[in-house]
Amino acid sequence: MRGSAKIGTVMLLAGLAGTAGAVDFAHEVVPLLKKHCGECHTGDARQGGFSMNTREDLLAGGDSGTPGLVAGKAAESEIIRRVVSDDPDYRMPSEGKPLPPEAVAVLKRWVDEQAPWEPGFAFQRSSWEPPLRLREVALPPATGGRTNPVDRIVDAYWKERGVDRPPRCDDRTFIRRASLDLVGLLPDPARVETFAADTDPGKRARLVRELLADAVPYAEHWMTFWSDLLRNDYTGTGFITNGRRQITAWLHRSLRDNVPYDRFVRELIAPTDESRGFIDGIVWRGVVNASQTVPIQFAQNVGQTFLGINLKCASCHDSFVDRWKLKETYDLAAIYSKAPLELNRCDKATGVKATPAWLFADLGQVDPAAPPPKRLEQLAAIMTKPENGWLSRNLANRLWHRLMGRGIVHPVDSLRTKPWSEDLLDVLAGDLVSHGWDVKHLLETICTAEAYGAATPPVAVQPRGGDYVFQGPLPRRMTAEQFTDAVWLLTGAAPGKGVVPLERFVAPPVGKALPPPSAKWIWADAAGKPAEAATLAFRKEFKLPAAAFYAGLVAAADDGAVVFLNGRKLLTAKDPQAPQVAPATDSLRGGGNELLVVVTDAGGSAGLRLELRIRLADGADMTVVTDESWQWTDTLPDDKGRFAKDKQPAAWQPAAVVATQAAWAGGEEAFAARLGGITVTGPLPMVRAVLVKSTPLMAALGRPNRDQVVTSRPADLTTLEAIRLANEQSLADELAAGSKRILAARGPAADTIVEWMFAAALARRPTAAEAEAARELLGERPTPESVGDCLWAVVMLPEFQLVR
C-alpha cells in the first residue's frame, strides 16, 4: 500500500457493499420468494414488520431491527438463518414444509453474490399508471424571481410540505458540479477563479450554456450514459463470434450533433447498418432460455431503455408484480422477428403464436403482415409520436436522476411507480417535446433551475421509498469514466487514441479562414485525355514521424476511384463534382505508409484529386496531396488493394499534374467544403475513458460489461474498489508519470504544488490543516514520489470522488 494510504482509509473501508453477481434474479429468485414468502411479506403483508417488496425493504428487516440479509454474506443473513432453522417458532416459512434444499441453495447463492435485484422490480403491484398523453400543467406563480418552470413547481411543492428552501451552493461547488454533470470533466482552475470572481447574476446560466455548446466533451461524457442504456461496448460476450455489434461511431456523431431525440430513437429501432447493434442484441452461444432469444431481447431492451417498462418478468410468464402479460412481450418481440414466434411459458412451448403488435394500440399499430423492416419503421414512427408520453417522461426522468441523484419516478425502470411530482415530470417531458426533442434544451432547463444549484441536503435525513421528499440534489459518486478522466486530466496520462476511429472535433464555422486545398488533379500525363477507357493505379508513399491523433481524407475522380490506405479500403469516389470524405486515423501508422488509388476513366477527360490532412499526436499538422510526386502503373491490384506476388508492377511511372485544372472547377467549392469538415483546429481533446476498453480499475469502480441494459451504477463503495484504488498498478503508473509533469510545470515549491492540486481536483483552495498535511507528504524538497503520493491522497478524498 502507498506510503500515504492512511489518508482516506476510513473512507475506503466504510459502507462496503459487494459487486453484483450473475445470478438469475428474475427466473430463479423471484418465483421462489413469491411462492414461499409472498403471502406474509409482499404486497400489503408485513408480518413482523418485514416486507420483501423491494431490495431496500429486504435489507431494512422487520420490527426486530435486524437486517433481512447482509449482501455477500449468506451465513450472517437473517433470511438464510430462518429458512434453515429447525426451530418451528423461528423458521420461515412459518407454516407448511421447510424450503427444499435446492431452494435454500439458490437463496444462499443469491445472497453470497450480493443479492442482485432487477432495477425497477418490486413485489408490490403499482396501482398508478401515467396517462398515455402528457397532461397540460398550469405552473404555480413564481416566487422570489424564480421563474424557471422547475423552480415554480418545486417551490410550490416545498411550501405545501413545509420544507425549508435549501440555500444556494457556492460558486466553486456549482462550476465543479455542472462541469462534471454536463461534460464529465473537472473544470480548469483558471476558469474556476474567473467564475468565482464574476458578479454577473446570470453567470450560472451562461456557464451551463457554454458547457452544453462544447460538443465533443459533451458527447463523450454522455456516451457513458447511453452506452449503458444501449448495451454498447467494445469487448465481451458475442464480439468474438460476431454475435454482437457496437454502435460507437453512430452514437458519438449523434450526441456531438445533438440529433433530436425522436430521430435518435427512430434510428435505433428502424436502424441503419451503423446503429443496428442495439436491436440485434446478443446472439448467445449454445442453447439459451426462450426468454433470452434475440427477438425477446429486443422487446426487453426497447421497453426498458425507451419506456421505463421492465418486461423481463413478463418474458417468462405473466408478470407477478406488474400488468404486463407474456403475450404482450412476445407480440412486441414479433415485430422484430423474421420468423413466426411461439410463446414459451417458463421455457415450455405453448402452441400459441405471437402477433406482431406494440404495447399501446391507442397510438396506432403495426401491420402484422408487413415484412420485419417495414414493421420496425412503423414501430419507430408510432413510438416517437409526441402523444406517446411514456417516451418523453422516461427520458426526462432518467436525466433528472442523473443530475439530481434520484428520479422523479424511483426506480427509473418502473415508470408505473407514482412520481413524487406528476406535474414536474410532465412539464419536463413537455419541455422536451415542445422544443423539437432537443435533449440539450431539457438539460439546460434543469441545470439553470435554482433547485439544481442548491446545496446538497444531509443524506441521512432523506426518507426512503414512498415517503421520499425532494429536498435538493443528492451527492453522487463519480462514474468509473469520470474518475478515470479526472486522473488523466490531472496527470496528463490519457492514452494516445481510442478503440474506434471517430471525428473528435467540430467542423469550423462557415467563413472561418482555413488552409485552402493544395491537391492538384493528376493523371498519367499532363493532357489528362486518354484516347480510350483506361484503369490505372496511383500511389504515394510517405512517412509519419509519430502516431496520428486524427486524419481525414477527401478524394474526387473523373470518372471513378477506389482509395486504399495501407491495404484498407477507405472510400469510393465517382463524381468529380461530388468529392467523398473518409476518416483515416486508424489506417495510418508511425513510419512508412502507402496510399493506393485505382482510377477508372470512361474516356474523354481523366484525373484524380486527393488530400489527406493529419493531426499528429504531438499537435503538429501534416498534409499529403496529389501532385507530381505520385506514381502510376497499369498493373492493377486485387479488390483489397494488394498486388499478388506474380503480378507486381514492372515499373512505376511518374504522375503528371493535369495542365487544364480548370476543367473541374465546378467541384472546387465542394472540395474545399469537404476539407473544412475534416480539418482539426485548436488544441487536441484528451482521449476519454469511454473511448477505450474497460480496465480492471474501471470495472471495479462500476463500469459494467453491458451484456444487459444498465440503468443505474452501484452507489456503494465495495471492498474490491478499495483494494484496487490502493494497489492498482495502472493508477500508480499514471500518478508517477503525472508527478514528473507536475514538477516540470509547477516547479519545486511545495506551496505552489498544493495550491494547484486542490484547485485542479476540488475547485477550491486548501484549508490551513489540509495545506499543512499536504506539505508534510511532499517534504521540504518535493520529489516525483512524494508528489505522486500527495496527489493519490487527494484523489482518494470523498470530496474528490463525489459530484456534490
Side-chain angles (χ1 to χ4, degrees), residues 646-732:
D646 60 345
K647 293 185 178 181
Q648 292 292 315
W652 286 92
Q653 306 295 321
V657 174
V658 178
T660 55
Q661 294 285 309
W664 297 282
E668 184 68 23
E669 186 176 341
F671 198 90
R674 297 294 262 171
L675 274 177
I678 65 165
T679 302
V680 178
T681 60
L684 302 178
M686 180 186 81
V687 172
R688 303 288 289 274
V690 74
L691 303 180
V692 303
K693 295 177 181 178
S694 184
T695 65
L697 180 58
M698 282 192 237
L701 293 174
R703 178 166 167 170
N705 61 18
R706 301 186 177 120
D707 286 350
Q708 305 286 339
V709 170
V710 177
T711 56
S712 297
R713 297 273 184 101
D716 298 321
L717 187 71
T718 70
T719 305
L720 178 59
E721 290 173 63
I723 294 171
R724 287 286 186 193
L725 287 169
N727 298 285
E728 178 63 35
Q729 187 60 49
S730 63
L731 178 59

Side-chain angles (χ1 to χ4, degrees), residues 151-208:
D151 291 319
R152 293 172 68 171
I153 292 173
V154 169
D155 286 349
Y157 168 90
W158 280 336
K159 182 178 180 181
E160 180 181 339
R161 285 158 182 77
V163 176
D164 292 334
R165 181 188 295 172
R168 263 188 162 201
C169 68
D170 64 78
D171 284 340
R172 293 175 183 274
T173 296
F174 183 85
I175 188 173
R176 189 177 190 273
R177 178 191 298 174
S179 296
L180 286 168
D181 277 344
L182 296 178
V183 296
L185 295 171
L186 297 170
D188 180 75
R191 189 178 195 180
V192 174
E193 295 305 316
T194 300
F195 184 77
D198 192 349
T199 58
D200 181 0
K203 67 180 181 180
R204 292 193 176 190
R206 186 174 68 248
L207 171 71
V208 168

Side-chain angles (χ1 to χ4, degrees), residues 584-608:
T585 313
D586 271 22
S587 300
L588 289 168
R589 55 193 176 221
N593 294 267
E594 181 190 59
L595 271 165
L596 182 70
V597 187
V598 179
V599 187
T600 300
D601 177 72
S605 59
L608 165 68

Side-chain angles (χ1 to χ4, degrees), residues 751-792:
D751 285 345
T752 302
I753 294 172
V754 172
E755 288 285 334
W756 173 81
M757 278 189 189
F758 275 76
L762 303 176
R764 65 172 178 84
R765 297 182 179 90
T767 65
E770 289 169 336
E772 183 180 353
R775 283 194 296 268
E776 183 180 344
L777 281 173
L778 290 169
E780 293 184 8
R781 298 178 61 84
T783 65
E785 291 75 19
S786 66
V787 171
D789 277 353
C790 188
L791 184 56
W792 181 86

Side-chain angles (χ1 to χ4, degrees), residues 565-576:
L565 177 55
N566 293 328
R568 181 182 293 182
K569 182 178 177 181
L570 292 188
L571 61 79
T572 299
K574 296 181 179 180
D575 184 345

Side-chain angles (χ1 to χ4, degrees), residues 404-625:
M404 295 292 195
R406 184 184 171 101
I408 303 170
V409 173
H410 181 81
V412 290
D413 284 334
S414 185
L415 211 59
R416 292 187 71 242
T417 303
K418 190 175 177 64
W420 59 261
S421 175
E422 296 176 51
D423 286 351
L424 179 59
L425 186 59
D426 273 28
V427 163
L428 291 177
D431 189 57
L432 172 67
V433 174
S434 65
H435 287 85
W437 298 90
D438 185 342
V439 176
K440 284 190 177 183
H441 173 83
L442 180 55
L443 290 170
E444 181 181 340
T445 297
I446 296 172
C447 292
T448 54
E450 289 295 319
Y452 172 80
T456 55
V459 177
V461 303
Q462 288 290 322
R464 299 185 309 178
D467 297 327
Y468 171 79
V469 175
F470 175 69
Q471 297 185 48
L474 297 171
R476 290 153 282 131
R477 289 185 60 191
M478 283 182 173
T479 63
E481 291 84 351
Q482 284 175 312
F483 178 86
T484 304
D485 286 341
V487 171
W488 287 351
L489 195 62
L490 294 171
T491 61
K497 65 178 183 178
V499 175
V500 179
L502 301 168
E503 294 183 7
R504 301 189 59 239
F505 64 96
V506 177
V510 176
K512 181 177 176 62
L514 292 171
S518 56
K520 304 296 184 182
W521 285 95
I522 63 170
W523 191 244
D525 57 68
K529 291 187 177 182
E532 55 187 28
T535 300
L536 305 177
F538 290 80
R539 78 171 182 182
K540 171 69 176 180
E541 296 177 316
F542 59 97
K543 290 186 177 180
L544 292 185
F549 165 77
Y550 174 77
L553 180 146
V554 176
D558 189 352
D559 291 294
V562 181
V563 180
F564 299 91
L565 177 55
N566 293 328
R568 181 182 293 182
K569 182 178 177 181
L570 292 188
L571 61 79
T572 299
K574 296 181 179 180
D575 184 345
Q577 312 299 324
Q580 300 299 303
V581 64
T585 313
D586 271 22
S587 300
L588 289 168
R589 55 193 176 221
N593 294 267
E594 181 190 59
L595 271 165
L596 182 70
V597 187
V598 179
V599 187
T600 300
D601 177 72
S605 59
L608 165 68
R609 191 183 192 195
L610 179 150
E611 188 152 339
L612 172 64
R613 289 189 173 177
I614 306 166
R615 172 66 66 93
L616 299 176
D618 62 4
D621 292 315
M622 183 173 171
T623 304
V624 179
V625 302

